[in-house]
Amino acid sequence: MSSHQVNFVREYIETVWNQGRTELADKYLAEDLIQHNPNLPDGRAPLVEFIDGFHKQYPRARFEVRRAAGSGDLVFLHTRFRGDPDDRGMVVVEVFRIDEGLIVEHWDVRDEIPETTVSGHEVV
């Protein structure tokens, strides 16, 4: 896994998700993307449709990438997602599998960010 692939996924999050530039999705996503998010179907086209609708509903939504790493054909992101800059947000860990220069598979797990933690450490 090269730092290029980690940067590629970071660029995808910034461009397609944060900026809503879904017309560039084919630069990042395989047409037959395998989706493990339980709320999304497989394929690039349904994801683009979802992102477009999401941006209309939440125009100020953003993923803030806090950590990124790669291993083999996988890229891992640890992010803070906010639907609005004033929201506490959610912690999201995402895993992307890259093949032939495109994201071909995606997993994610999410949890609300609590006001406090027992340890005193942030979750993101």
Side-chain angles (χ1 to χ4, degrees), residues 54-67:
F54 186 83
H55 265 273
K56 286 178 184 162
Q57 197 170 11
Y58 303 99
R60 297 177 0 148
R62 280 193 67 77
F63 283 93
E64 302 164 19
V65 177
R66 297 293 180 92
R67 290 162 196 85

Side-chain angles (χ1 to χ4, degrees), residues 66-67 78-80 88-93 111-124:
R66 297 293 180 92
R67 290 162 196 85
H78 184 212
T79 68
R80 180 178 196 162
R88 183 181 338 279
M90 300 180 82
V91 57
V92 183
V93 176
D111 199 6
E112 297 293 327
I113 295 178
E115 286 187 41
T116 61
T117 63
V118 173
S119 67
H121 303 292
E122 291 188 26
V123 297
V124 68

